PDB file of all heavy atoms in Angstrom:
ATOM      1  N   SER A  16     -33.416  26.396 -16.009  1.00 75.00           N
ATOM      2  CA  SER A  16     -32.594  27.497 -15.474  1.00 75.00           C
ATOM      3  C   SER A  16     -31.273  27.005 -15.266  1.00 75.00           C
ATOM      4  O   SER A  16     -31.031  25.881 -14.545  1.00 75.00           O
ATOM      5  CB  SER A  16     -33.294  28.164 -14.281  1.00 75.00           C
ATOM      6  OG  SER A  16     -32.570  27.902 -13.065  1.00 75.00           O
ATOM      7  N   ASP A  25     -24.613  18.790  -9.810  1.00 94.00           N
ATOM      8  CA  ASP A  25     -23.685  18.652  -8.565  1.00 94.00           C
ATOM      9  C   ASP A  25     -24.227  17.510  -7.619  1.00 94.00           C
ATOM     10  O   ASP A  25     -23.458  16.625  -7.128  1.00 94.00           O
ATOM     11  CB  ASP A  25     -23.589  19.927  -7.881  1.00 94.00           C
ATOM     12  CG  ASP A  25     -22.800  20.952  -8.594  1.00 94.00           C
ATOM     13  OD1 ASP A  25     -21.991  20.614  -9.605  1.00 94.00           O
ATOM     14  OD2 ASP A  25     -22.755  22.140  -8.180  1.00 94.00           O
ATOM     15  N   THR A  50       0.802   2.355   6.762  1.00 98.00           N
ATOM     16  CA  THR A  50       1.275   2.199   8.119  1.00 98.00           C
ATOM     17  C   THR A  50       1.866   0.844   8.419  1.00 98.00           C
ATOM     18  O   THR A  50       2.939   0.741   8.970  1.00 98.00           O
ATOM     19  CB  THR A  50       0.014   2.227   9.168  1.00 98.00           C
ATOM     20  OG1 THR A  50      -0.964   1.372   8.718  1.00 98.00           O
ATOM     21  CG2 THR A  50      -0.529   3.692   9.116  1.00 98.00           C
ATOM     22  N   VAL A  52       3.152  -1.400   6.057  1.00 98.00           N
ATOM     23  CA  VAL A  52       4.432  -1.765   5.240  1.00 98.00           C
ATOM     24  C   VAL A  52       5.402  -0.692   5.386  1.00 98.00           C
ATOM     25  O   VAL A  52       6.616  -0.967   5.566  1.00 98.00           O
ATOM     26  CB  VAL A  52       3.925  -1.799   3.701  1.00 98.00           C
ATOM     27  CG1 VAL A  52       5.159  -2.176   2.880  1.00 98.00           C
ATOM     28  CG2 VAL A  52       2.900  -2.964   3.573  1.00 98.00           C
ATOM     29  N   ASN A  55       6.958   4.066  10.334  1.00 97.00           N
ATOM     30  CA  ASN A  55       6.961   5.441  10.671  1.00 97.00           C
ATOM     31  C   ASN A  55       7.680   6.262   9.467  1.00 97.00           C
ATOM     32  O   ASN A  55       8.389   5.715   8.645  1.00 97.00           O
ATOM     33  CB  ASN A  55       7.785   5.652  11.989  1.00 97.00           C
ATOM     34  CG  ASN A  55       9.298   5.347  11.739  1.00 97.00           C
ATOM     35  OD1 ASN A  55       9.949   6.179  11.054  1.00 97.00           O
ATOM     36  ND2 ASN A  55       9.807   4.274  12.334  1.00 97.00           N
ATOM     37  N   GLY A  62      13.316   5.947   5.548  1.00 96.00           N
ATOM     38  CA  GLY A  62      11.983   5.402   5.477  1.00 96.00           C
ATOM     39  C   GLY A  62      11.002   6.413   4.963  1.00 96.00           C
ATOM     40  O   GLY A  62      10.078   5.975   4.235  1.00 96.00           O
ATOM     41  N   ALA A  70       4.135   6.898  -2.320  1.00 98.00           N
ATOM     42  CA  ALA A  70       2.918   7.793  -2.385  1.00 98.00           C
ATOM     43  C   ALA A  70       2.731   8.473  -3.876  1.00 98.00           C
ATOM     44  O   ALA A  70       1.603   8.471  -4.350  1.00 98.00           O
ATOM     45  CB  ALA A  70       3.136   9.024  -1.418  1.00 98.00           C
ATOM     46  N   MET A  74      -0.401   7.888  -6.329  1.00 98.00           N
ATOM     47  CA  MET A  74      -1.099   8.913  -6.936  1.00 98.00           C
ATOM     48  C   MET A  74      -1.187   8.596  -8.440  1.00 98.00           C
ATOM     49  O   MET A  74      -2.371   8.771  -9.082  1.00 98.00           O
ATOM     50  CB  MET A  74      -0.347  10.268  -6.787  1.00 98.00           C
ATOM     51  CG  MET A  74      -0.437  10.946  -5.416  1.00 98.00           C
ATOM     52  SD  MET A  74       0.371  12.481  -5.362  1.00 98.00           S
ATOM     53  CE  MET A  74       0.172  12.917  -3.670  1.00 98.00           C
ATOM     54  N   GLY A  91      19.427  18.915   6.048  1.00 81.00           N
ATOM     55  CA  GLY A  91      20.782  18.813   6.799  1.00 81.00           C
ATOM     56  C   GLY A  91      21.322  17.448   6.792  1.00 81.00           C
ATOM     57  O   GLY A  91      22.425  17.134   6.354  1.00 81.00           O
ATOM     58  N   ASN A  96      16.681   4.968  12.993  1.00 97.00           N
ATOM     59  CA  ASN A  96      16.957   4.006  14.029  1.00 97.00           C
ATOM     60  C   ASN A  96      16.990   2.591  13.523  1.00 97.00           C
ATOM     61  O   ASN A  96      16.022   2.286  12.763  1.00 97.00           O
ATOM     62  CB  ASN A  96      16.026   4.180  15.232  1.00 97.00           C
ATOM     63  CG  ASN A  96      16.211   3.109  16.274  1.00 97.00           C
ATOM     64  OD1 ASN A  96      15.373   2.323  16.560  1.00 97.00           O
ATOM     65  ND2 ASN A  96      17.484   3.010  16.722  1.00 97.00           N
ATOM     66  N   GLU A  97      18.121   1.883  13.656  1.00 97.00           N
ATOM     67  CA  GLU A  97      18.186   0.548  13.100  1.00 97.00           C
ATOM     68  C   GLU A  97      18.140  -0.528  14.119  1.00 97.00           C
ATOM     69  O   GLU A  97      17.852  -1.659  13.683  1.00 97.00           O
ATOM     70  CB  GLU A  97      19.574   0.451  12.245  1.00 97.00           C
ATOM     71  CG  GLU A  97      19.437   1.343  11.048  1.00 97.00           C
ATOM     72  CD  GLU A  97      20.644   1.147  10.151  1.00 97.00           C
ATOM     73  OE1 GLU A  97      21.812   0.936  10.807  1.00 97.00           O
ATOM     74  OE2 GLU A  97      20.598   1.273   8.921  1.00 97.00           O
ATOM     75  N   TYR A  98      18.392  -0.205  15.428  1.00 98.00           N
ATOM     76  CA  TYR A  98      18.396  -1.229  16.420  1.00 98.00           C
ATOM     77  C   TYR A  98      18.286  -0.563  17.770  1.00 98.00           C
ATOM     78  O   TYR A  98      18.975   0.370  17.980  1.00 98.00           O
ATOM     79  CB  TYR A  98      19.762  -2.056  16.258  1.00 98.00           C
ATOM     80  CG  TYR A  98      19.911  -3.206  17.234  1.00 98.00           C
ATOM     81  CD1 TYR A  98      19.299  -4.454  16.951  1.00 98.00           C
ATOM     82  CD2 TYR A  98      20.577  -3.008  18.459  1.00 98.00           C
ATOM     83  CE1 TYR A  98      19.382  -5.447  17.768  1.00 98.00           C
ATOM     84  CE2 TYR A  98      20.745  -4.059  19.243  1.00 98.00           C
ATOM     85  CZ  TYR A  98      20.060  -5.425  18.958  1.00 98.00           C
ATOM     86  OH  TYR A  98      20.219  -6.334  19.847  1.00 98.00           O
ATOM     87  N   HIS A 102      17.842  -3.279  28.455  1.00 98.00           N
ATOM     88  CA  HIS A 102      17.592  -4.353  29.395  1.00 98.00           C
ATOM     89  C   HIS A 102      18.041  -3.862  30.818  1.00 98.00           C
ATOM     90  O   HIS A 102      19.203  -3.383  31.023  1.00 98.00           O
ATOM     91  CB  HIS A 102      18.418  -5.657  29.132  1.00 98.00           C
ATOM     92  CG  HIS A 102      18.034  -6.120  27.720  1.00 98.00           C
ATOM     93  ND1 HIS A 102      16.909  -6.970  27.414  1.00 98.00           N
ATOM     94  CD2 HIS A 102      18.688  -5.842  26.568  1.00 98.00           C
ATOM     95  CE1 HIS A 102      16.874  -7.173  26.141  1.00 98.00           C
ATOM     96  NE2 HIS A 102      17.984  -6.491  25.498  1.00 98.00           N
ATOM     97  N   ILE A 111      13.414  -3.505  28.984  1.00 98.00           N
ATOM     98  CA  ILE A 111      12.789  -2.056  29.050  1.00 98.00           C
ATOM     99  C   ILE A 111      12.258  -1.751  27.652  1.00 98.00           C
ATOM    100  O   ILE A 111      12.939  -1.886  26.710  1.00 98.00           O
ATOM    101  CB  ILE A 111      13.845  -1.107  29.544  1.00 98.00           C
ATOM    102  CG1 ILE A 111      14.457  -1.487  30.876  1.00 98.00           C
ATOM    103  CG2 ILE A 111      13.331   0.374  29.521  1.00 98.00           C
ATOM    104  CD1 ILE A 111      13.513  -1.191  32.119  1.00 98.00           C
ATOM    105  N   LYS A 125      27.616  -2.120  22.692  1.00 98.00           N
ATOM    106  CA  LYS A 125      26.779  -2.291  23.753  1.00 98.00           C
ATOM    107  C   LYS A 125      27.358  -1.593  24.984  1.00 98.00           C
ATOM    108  O   LYS A 125      28.588  -1.626  25.237  1.00 98.00           O
ATOM    109  CB  LYS A 125      26.778  -3.828  24.111  1.00 98.00           C
ATOM    110  CG  LYS A 125      25.586  -4.345  24.844  1.00 98.00           C
ATOM    111  CD  LYS A 125      25.789  -5.908  24.980  1.00 98.00           C
ATOM    112  CE  LYS A 125      25.075  -6.525  23.865  1.00 98.00           C
ATOM    113  NZ  LYS A 125      25.126  -8.046  23.983  1.00 98.00           N
ATOM    114  N   ALA A 237      17.823  20.076  18.249  1.00 88.00           N
ATOM    115  CA  ALA A 237      18.193  19.515  16.953  1.00 88.00           C
ATOM    116  C   ALA A 237      17.909  20.511  15.793  1.00 88.00           C
ATOM    117  O   ALA A 237      18.773  20.662  14.953  1.00 88.00           O
ATOM    118  CB  ALA A 237      17.387  18.328  16.720  1.00 88.00           C
ATOM    119  N   LEU A 257       9.169   3.755  28.972  1.00 98.00           N
ATOM    120  CA  LEU A 257       7.786   3.727  29.431  1.00 98.00           C
ATOM    121  C   LEU A 257       7.776   4.496  30.970  1.00 98.00           C
ATOM    122  O   LEU A 257       8.651   4.188  31.787  1.00 98.00           O
ATOM    123  CB  LEU A 257       7.359   2.341  29.743  1.00 98.00           C
ATOM    124  CG  LEU A 257       6.792   1.525  28.456  1.00 98.00           C
ATOM    125  CD1 LEU A 257       6.398   0.211  28.984  1.00 98.00           C
ATOM    126  CD2 LEU A 257       5.501   2.156  27.997  1.00 98.00           C
ATOM    127  N   GLU A 259       6.066   3.926  33.598  1.00 97.00           N
ATOM    128  CA  GLU A 259       6.015   3.009  34.691  1.00 97.00           C
ATOM    129  C   GLU A 259       7.414   2.367  34.986  1.00 97.00           C
ATOM    130  O   GLU A 259       7.770   2.053  36.137  1.00 97.00           O
ATOM    131  CB  GLU A 259       4.929   1.980  34.657  1.00 97.00           C
ATOM    132  CG  GLU A 259       4.927   1.095  33.380  1.00 97.00           C
ATOM    133  CD  GLU A 259       4.106   1.724  32.256  1.00 97.00           C
ATOM    134  OE1 GLU A 259       4.193   2.930  31.973  1.00 97.00           O
ATOM    135  OE2 GLU A 259       3.498   0.939  31.537  1.00 97.00           O
ATOM    136  N   GLU A 307      -7.070  27.942 -12.011  1.00 98.00           N
ATOM    137  CA  GLU A 307      -7.442  28.219 -10.542  1.00 98.00           C
ATOM    138  C   GLU A 307      -7.384  26.905  -9.816  1.00 98.00           C
ATOM    139  O   GLU A 307      -7.602  25.907 -10.331  1.00 98.00           O
ATOM    140  CB  GLU A 307      -8.820  28.844 -10.360  1.00 98.00           C
ATOM    141  CG  GLU A 307      -8.935  30.176 -10.948  1.00 98.00           C
ATOM    142  CD  GLU A 307     -10.200  30.898 -10.665  1.00 98.00           C
ATOM    143  OE1 GLU A 307     -11.168  30.354 -10.122  1.00 98.00           O
ATOM    144  OE2 GLU A 307     -10.376  32.088 -11.179  1.00 98.00           O
ATOM    145  N   THR A 325      -2.966   7.437  13.356  1.00 96.00           N
ATOM    146  CA  THR A 325      -3.994   8.464  13.431  1.00 96.00           C
ATOM    147  C   THR A 325      -3.364   9.796  13.164  1.00 96.00           C
ATOM    148  O   THR A 325      -4.093  10.804  12.825  1.00 96.00           O
ATOM    149  CB  THR A 325      -4.518   8.566  14.942  1.00 96.00           C
ATOM    150  OG1 THR A 325      -3.534   8.923  15.848  1.00 96.00           O
ATOM    151  CG2 THR A 325      -5.066   7.237  15.389  1.00 96.00           C
ATOM    152  N   PHE A 335      -6.190  10.581  -0.173  1.00 98.00           N
ATOM    153  CA  PHE A 335      -5.961   9.622  -1.223  1.00 98.00           C
ATOM    154  C   PHE A 335      -7.271   9.080  -1.690  1.00 98.00           C
ATOM    155  O   PHE A 335      -7.524   9.070  -2.906  1.00 98.00           O
ATOM    156  CB  PHE A 335      -5.076   8.417  -0.717  1.00 98.00           C
ATOM    157  CG  PHE A 335      -3.634   8.521  -1.153  1.00 98.00           C
ATOM    158  CD1 PHE A 335      -2.761   8.576  -0.140  1.00 98.00           C
ATOM    159  CD2 PHE A 335      -3.256   8.497  -2.380  1.00 98.00           C
ATOM    160  CE1 PHE A 335      -1.336   8.631  -0.447  1.00 98.00           C
ATOM    161  CE2 PHE A 335      -1.891   8.559  -2.783  1.00 98.00           C
ATOM    162  CZ  PHE A 335      -0.965   8.617  -1.756  1.00 98.00           C
ATOM    163  N   ASN A 387      -3.722  35.031  -6.638  1.00 97.00           N
ATOM    164  CA  ASN A 387      -5.148  35.283  -7.067  1.00 97.00           C
ATOM    165  C   ASN A 387      -5.871  34.304  -7.809  1.00 97.00           C
ATOM    166  O   ASN A 387      -6.954  34.413  -8.249  1.00 97.00           O
ATOM    167  CB  ASN A 387      -5.002  36.653  -7.958  1.00 97.00           C
ATOM    168  CG  ASN A 387      -4.560  37.803  -7.170  1.00 97.00           C
ATOM    169  OD1 ASN A 387      -4.957  37.981  -5.991  1.00 97.00           O
ATOM    170  ND2 ASN A 387      -3.675  38.660  -7.661  1.00 97.00           N
ATOM    171  N   VAL A 413     -17.888  32.557   4.197  1.00 98.00           N
ATOM    172  CA  VAL A 413     -18.111  31.182   3.653  1.00 98.00           C
ATOM    173  C   VAL A 413     -19.174  30.454   4.539  1.00 98.00           C
ATOM    174  O   VAL A 413     -19.521  29.245   4.134  1.00 98.00           O
ATOM    175  CB  VAL A 413     -16.824  30.377   3.801  1.00 98.00           C
ATOM    176  CG1 VAL A 413     -15.762  30.983   2.855  1.00 98.00           C
ATOM    177  CG2 VAL A 413     -16.277  30.259   5.191  1.00 98.00           C
ATOM    178  N   LYS A 419     -24.701  25.120   3.646  1.00 98.00           N
ATOM    179  CA  LYS A 419     -25.505  24.408   2.569  1.00 98.00           C
ATOM    180  C   LYS A 419     -24.940  23.004   2.280  1.00 98.00           C
ATOM    181  O   LYS A 419     -25.543  22.077   2.231  1.00 98.00           O
ATOM    182  CB  LYS A 419     -25.600  25.263   1.254  1.00 98.00           C
ATOM    183  CG  LYS A 419     -26.416  24.762   0.202  1.00 98.00           C
ATOM    184  CD  LYS A 419     -26.679  25.891  -0.820  1.00 98.00           C
ATOM    185  CE  LYS A 419     -27.033  25.276  -2.136  1.00 98.00           C
ATOM    186  NZ  LYS A 419     -26.695  26.050  -3.212  1.00 98.00           N
ATOM    187  N   ARG A 447      -2.713  32.342   7.312  1.00 97.00           N
ATOM    188  CA  ARG A 447      -1.903  33.470   7.675  1.00 97.00           C
ATOM    189  C   ARG A 447      -1.606  34.324   6.468  1.00 97.00           C
ATOM    190  O   ARG A 447      -1.524  35.559   6.496  1.00 97.00           O
ATOM    191  CB  ARG A 447      -0.466  32.957   8.217  1.00 97.00           C
ATOM    192  CG  ARG A 447      -0.599  32.581   9.558  1.00 97.00           C
ATOM    193  CD  ARG A 447       0.644  32.748  10.410  1.00 97.00           C
ATOM    194  NE  ARG A 447       0.517  32.163  11.696  1.00 97.00           N
ATOM    195  CZ  ARG A 447       1.314  31.132  12.106  1.00 97.00           C
ATOM    196  NH1 ARG A 447       2.240  30.739  11.330  1.00 97.00           N
ATOM    197  NH2 ARG A 447       1.051  30.657  13.285  1.00 97.00           N
ATOM    198  N   ASN A 468       3.911   5.561  20.962  1.00 97.00           N
ATOM    199  CA  ASN A 468       4.196   4.158  20.526  1.00 97.00           C
ATOM    200  C   ASN A 468       2.937   3.376  20.238  1.00 97.00           C
ATOM    201  O   ASN A 468       3.106   2.178  19.789  1.00 97.00           O
ATOM    202  CB  ASN A 468       5.037   3.477  21.488  1.00 97.00           C
ATOM    203  CG  ASN A 468       4.531   3.350  22.866  1.00 97.00           C
ATOM    204  OD1 ASN A 468       3.778   4.280  23.306  1.00 97.00           O
ATOM    205  ND2 ASN A 468       4.660   2.329  23.573  1.00 97.00           N
ATOM    206  N   PHE A 490     -16.726  18.164  -0.912  1.00 98.00           N
ATOM    207  CA  PHE A 490     -16.416  19.619  -0.632  1.00 98.00           C
ATOM    208  C   PHE A 490     -15.450  20.109  -1.643  1.00 98.00           C
ATOM    209  O   PHE A 490     -15.440  21.159  -2.159  1.00 98.00           O
ATOM    210  CB  PHE A 490     -15.844  19.799   0.882  1.00 98.00           C
ATOM    211  CG  PHE A 490     -16.839  20.141   1.732  1.00 98.00           C
ATOM    212  CD1 PHE A 490     -17.922  19.168   2.085  1.00 98.00           C
ATOM    213  CD2 PHE A 490     -16.857  21.319   2.457  1.00 98.00           C
ATOM    214  CE1 PHE A 490     -18.880  19.481   3.097  1.00 98.00           C
ATOM    215  CE2 PHE A 490     -17.840  21.626   3.437  1.00 98.00           C
ATOM    216  CZ  PHE A 490     -18.846  20.787   3.699  1.00 98.00           C
ATOM    217  N   LYS A 505     -12.105  39.593   4.889  1.00 90.00           N
ATOM    218  CA  LYS A 505     -11.764  41.073   4.373  1.00 90.00           C
ATOM    219  C   LYS A 505     -10.581  41.475   5.239  1.00 90.00           C
ATOM    220  O   LYS A 505     -10.429  41.211   6.336  1.00 90.00           O
ATOM    221  CB  LYS A 505     -12.965  41.896   4.487  1.00 90.00           C
ATOM    222  CG  LYS A 505     -14.236  41.379   3.709  1.00 90.00           C
ATOM    223  CD  LYS A 505     -13.968  41.801   2.223  1.00 90.00           C
ATOM    224  CE  LYS A 505     -15.033  41.278   1.251  1.00 90.00           C
ATOM    225  NZ  LYS A 505     -15.124  39.876   0.915  1.00 90.00           N
TER     226      LYS A 505
END
Side-chain angles (χ1 to χ4, degrees):
S16 113
D25 284 350
T50 54
V52 180
N55 74 69
M74 286 183 182
N96 175 234
E97 291 186 326
Y98 182 82
H102 306 271
I111 302 282
K125 203 176 272 185
L257 278 179
E259 59 270 41
E307 293 187 0
T325 67
F335 260 119
N387 293 322
V413 297
K419 191 168 156 200
R447 283 209 188 114
N468 58 323
F490 269 62
K505 295 286 177 282

